[in-house]
Amino acid sequence: MQKAAKEAIVENNSDNNIAVAVDGTWQKRGYTSHNGVVTVTSMDTGKVIDVDVLNKYCACKNKKKHETNCKSNFRGSNGMMEMKGACNIFKRFWTFHNARYTKYLGDGDSKAFDAIAKENIYGDEFQLKNWNALAVS
């Protein structure tokens, strides 16, 4: 994925502000799944740049005192899972690649874009553009 991220920047004329497609999915349909994954794909290369795996299931024997290696990394509704995963990915991309996701294309069934915009990850200097809204208008 590191190589795919570098390729996306190069394909974007070495501009580190790139366009991505974001989508989340769950292990099971409905709102009963304990596992979800969010992927970010470069709009220029079609390659997956990053993923975030979220797990609500805790197998710790003592639920009140979680073990340090607990696999659970998310609490909340499944609807919130995609928002959390997308925010995690957007926050770490700048740190790892000195680049930003500035154009967002989603499937329109989540509020992930709104959550990312609310976080204001890149500050006021760089505003995230919602390509879904551009396609609708």
Side-chain angles (χ1 to χ4, degrees):
M1 286 188 288
Q2 289 178 343
K3 184 178 175 186
K6 289 177 184 173
E7 288 176 22
I9 295 166
V10 169
E11 189 68 26
N12 193 34
N13 297 320
S14 296
D15 184 348
N16 65 350
N17 298 306
I18 63 173
V20 293
V22 180
D23 197 16
T25 190
W26 295 264
Q27 182 181 10
K28 295 190 279 183
R29 287 180 154 196
Y31 294 98
T32 61
S33 183
H34 290 289
N35 303 298
V37 64
V38 177
T39 59
V40 171
T41 306
S42 165
M43 294 294 291
D44 292 314
T45 66
K47 294 182 179 181
V48 174
I49 297 174
D50 202 348
V51 298
D52 196 39
V53 178
L54 299 159
N55 184 346
K56 295 191 323 184
Y57 182 74
C58 174
C60 296
K61 291 178 176 95
N62 184 348
K63 301 289 187 205
K64 292 181 181 177
K65 201 173 201 179
H66 291 286
E67 298 172 14
T68 56
N69 60 351
C70 181
K71 302 297 184 221
S72 176
N73 64 358
F74 177 76
R75 297 221 186 282
S77 70
N78 285 14
M80 297 293 292
M81 202 179 277
E82 187 170 345
M83 291 188 282
K84 175 68 173 167
C87 284
N88 289 345
I89 291 171
F90 273 63
K91 287 176 184 175
R92 69 179 169 231
F93 194 63
W94 178 256
T95 304
F96 290 150
H97 301 288
N98 196 31
R100 290 175 284 269
Y101 302 132
T102 56
K103 297 176 186 116
Y104 175 103
L105 177 65
D107 57 12
D109 70 350
S110 84
K111 300 196 187 287
F113 176 83
D114 294 335
I116 295 165
K118 183 178 178 182
E119 290 276 333
N120 199 21
I121 295 165
Y122 307 131
D124 294 331
E125 186 179 349
F126 293 95
Q127 295 299 312
L128 182 64
K129 291 185 178 104
N130 186 349
W131 278 13
N132 296 333
L134 296 175
V136 172
S137 47

